[in-house]
């Protein structure tokens, strides 16, 4: 709301104990298996909230020695949400969900959920600022599968017989044990957690890479990964399904079901819908970009990209709103409904 400014302090250097903690390298991600979270060597350690009108800077009261992830303001500016490291031992281990009151500086834990940030952000604020959509570590999760000392079989990789450009990536999957561990640590259950800490599960666990509530709060746009996995590219290029869920986790619109993107040209993009998001200032309108040149910047094309929209209840066909001569880099929405600043990139001239 522009009334307050958040300021954060970080650890200057990680400890030897933190740097030497064991971790798993899975699909381009480094996972802390004991915390069920991404490996971190840098944490936020303190929060201050400065009031713009009078300059007062009340510190947020955190537990002694707390290590947290960077806080996120609620839409109405009255609270900050963040996760606190509960350690790596016992039932409280992992990332706990916490809430700070911007006016008083008091902070408290919300419920008993354990958050996961393996595939992305651990939570998002719901419209209205009275609840959060959380990526929760599935309750009653069994121990992670053990790595076998004997190979389960040969490593088999398919080829389509086509020449394809690809970059060199690190920390990729390499065998069936890696696949099983990736599914174990990347799986989350979505849950709505109110400001009193009450959690309401939303559907069953899946490999959710992202989950975004619509501006009216009636739908959730999710991107989930699916098999088959790839040993050649990181998780961001795995096969994925993009869907819209209603309040009962029922699929009301499937935007895309895409295979592994392991043949994208250098500086190219996926074919089909990409950068799918909700349009601000509209109740529930999807916006995405589609390549008109098969995602290949070397192919001649009058227009490289187009922007599509699709409004709830998603009964009609999507509408084309704009065609771009060059590759679309970003859409910057203004506060005026329907108005957007489009950013393009001319690959040949580097403009």
């Amino acid at each position: 709301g522009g009334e307050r400014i958040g300021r954060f302090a970080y650890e200057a250097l990680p400890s030897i104990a933190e740097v030497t903690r064991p971790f798993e390298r899975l699909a381009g991600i480094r996972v802390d298996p004991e915390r069920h979270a991404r490996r971190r060597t840098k944490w936020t350690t303190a929060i201050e909230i400065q009031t713009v009108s009078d300059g007062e800077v009340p510190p947020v009261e955190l537990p002694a020695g707390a290590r947290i992830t960077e806080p996120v303001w609620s839409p109405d500016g009255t609270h900050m949400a963040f996760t606190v490291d509960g350690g790596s031992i016992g039932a409280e281990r992992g990332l706990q969900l916490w809430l700070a009151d911007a006016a008083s500086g008091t902070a408290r834990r919300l419920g008993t959920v354990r958050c996961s940030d393996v595939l992305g952000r651990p939570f998002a604020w719901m419209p209205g600022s009275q609840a959060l959509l959380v990526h929760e570590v599935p309750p009653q999760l069994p121990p992670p599968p053990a790595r076998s000392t004997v190979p389960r079989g040969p490593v088999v990789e398919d080829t389509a017989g086509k020449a394809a450009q690809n970059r060199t990536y690190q920390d990729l999957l390499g065998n069936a044990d890696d696949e099983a561990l990736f599914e174990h640590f990347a799986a989350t259950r979505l849950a709505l957690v109110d400001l009193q800490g009450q959690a309401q599960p939303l559907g069953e666990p899946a490999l959710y890479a992202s989950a975004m509530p619509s501006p009216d709060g009636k739908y959730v746009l999710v991107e989930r990964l699916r098999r088959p996995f790839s040993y050649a590219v990181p998780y961001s290029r795995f096969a994925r399904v993009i869907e819209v869920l209603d309040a009962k986790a029922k699929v009301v619109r499937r935007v895309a079901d895409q295979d592994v993107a392991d043949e994208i040209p250098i500086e190219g993009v996926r074919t089909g819908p990409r950068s799918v998001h909700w349009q601000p200032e509209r109740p529930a309108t999807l916006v995405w970009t589609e390549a008109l040149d098969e995602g290949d910047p070397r192919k001649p094309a009058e227009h490289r990209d187009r922007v599509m929209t699709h409004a709830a209840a998603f009964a009609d066909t999507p509408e084309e709103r704009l065609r771009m001569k060059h590759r679309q880099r970003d859409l910057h929405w203004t506060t005026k409904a329907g108005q957007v600043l489009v950013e393009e990139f001319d690959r040949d001239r580097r403009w």
Side-chain angles (χ1 to χ4, degrees):
E3 298 176 3
R4 300 180 177 91
I5 298 172
R7 303 196 304 207
F8 317 120
Y10 301 91
E11 288 179 323
L13 293 171
S15 67
I16 296 297
E18 194 66 29
V19 172
T20 57
R21 286 175 57 86
F23 62 91
E24 295 283 354
R25 304 170 185 264
L26 302 169
I29 306 170
R30 297 185 178 185
V31 178
D32 185 325
E34 295 179 342
R35 290 191 174 102
H36 207 103
R38 289 211 180 197
R39 178 179 185 253
R40 276 190 178 82
T41 56
K42 181 179 180 180
W43 295 84
T44 300
T45 56
I47 307 173
E48 293 179 341
I49 300 176
Q50 179 173 351
T51 304
V52 174
S53 59
D54 56 19
E56 291 188 3
V57 189
V60 173
E61 301 172 5
L62 298 175
R67 297 187 297 181
I68 70 176
T69 59
E70 188 168 326
V72 180
W73 283 107
S74 62
D76 64 3
T78 60
H79 293 90
M80 276 185 175
F82 51 93
T83 60
V84 172
D85 174 32
S88 58
I89 301 176
E92 300 301 308
R93 71 186 186 281
L95 301 180
Q96 304 171 356
L97 183 62
W98 280 63
L99 189 74
D101 184 275
S104 65
T106 57
R108 56 188 171 88
R109 185 179 178 185
L110 280 185
T112 59
V113 299
R114 291 172 58 205
C115 300
S116 172
D117 66 347
V118 172
L119 288 184
R121 296 182 178 182
F123 62 82
W125 278 98
M126 292 292 292
S129 304
Q130 296 303 304
L132 295 108
L133 179 62
V134 178
H135 289 258
E136 179 185 16
V137 176
Q140 290 81 50
L141 188 70
R147 288 189 179 276
S148 174
T149 56
V150 179
R152 302 186 188 185
V155 174
V156 179
E157 297 187 48
D158 277 345
T159 176
K162 297 184 295 183
Q165 297 179 345
N166 227 333
R167 299 185 186 276
T168 301
Y169 302 96
Q170 61 182 358
D171 304 332
L172 300 179
L173 300 180
N175 51 49
D177 286 339
D178 284 350
E179 292 188 41
L181 285 166
F182 175 72
E183 282 191 309
H184 176 85
F185 289 114
T188 58
R189 185 178 71 174
L190 299 179
L192 290 172
V193 181
D194 64 23
L195 300 192
Q196 287 70 49
Q198 297 298 313
Q200 176 187 343
L202 187 66
E204 298 299 319
L207 302 178
Y208 290 113
S210 66
M212 295 181 287
S214 60
D216 63 5
K218 295 181 179 180
Y219 303 97
V220 177
L221 174 65
V222 299
E223 178 182 330
R224 58 180 176 83
L225 309 182
R226 64 165 176 82
R227 284 182 176 267
F229 301 144
S230 172
Y231 294 2
V233 292
Y235 79 98
S236 59
R237 294 194 175 190
F238 281 5
R240 62 178 184 173
V241 178
I242 304 174
E243 297 171 324
V244 176
L245 311 180
D246 64 11
K248 296 183 179 179
K250 178 184 176 182
V251 177
V252 296
R253 169 77 165 94
R254 176 164 286 187
V255 181
D257 187 350
Q258 300 172 329
D259 293 328
V260 173
D262 55 1
E263 296 180 355
I264 298 178
I266 299 297
E267 296 187 356
V269 295
R270 274 187 188 257
T271 57
R274 71 179 197 274
S275 303
V276 186
H277 61 281
W278 295 109
Q279 181 176 340
E281 311 299 333
R282 302 287 191 196
T285 296
L286 292 173
V287 182
W288 67 83
T289 305
E290 292 180 358
L292 296 171
D293 59 359
E294 299 181 11
D296 189 344
R298 298 167 302 178
K299 288 192 174 183
E302 183 179 356
H303 296 93
R304 295 283 173 196
D305 280 331
R306 66 176 180 175
V307 175
M308 307 292 291
T309 65
H310 200 186
F314 313 109
D316 56 356
T317 57
E319 296 183 74
E320 181 180 312
R321 296 295 187 182
L322 173 69
R323 289 197 171 205
M324 287 160 284
K325 182 178 180 181
H326 305 294
R327 186 72 68 208
Q328 181 246 303
R329 277 293 179 87
D330 208 348
L331 300 177
H332 305 276
W333 293 96
T334 73
T335 55
K336 181 179 179 181
Q339 187 181 71
V340 63
L341 179 66
V342 180
E343 184 179 338
E344 301 177 65
F345 176 67
D346 181 345
R347 172 183 175 272
D348 295 334
R349 291 181 293 181
R350 299 294 189 266
W351 286 4

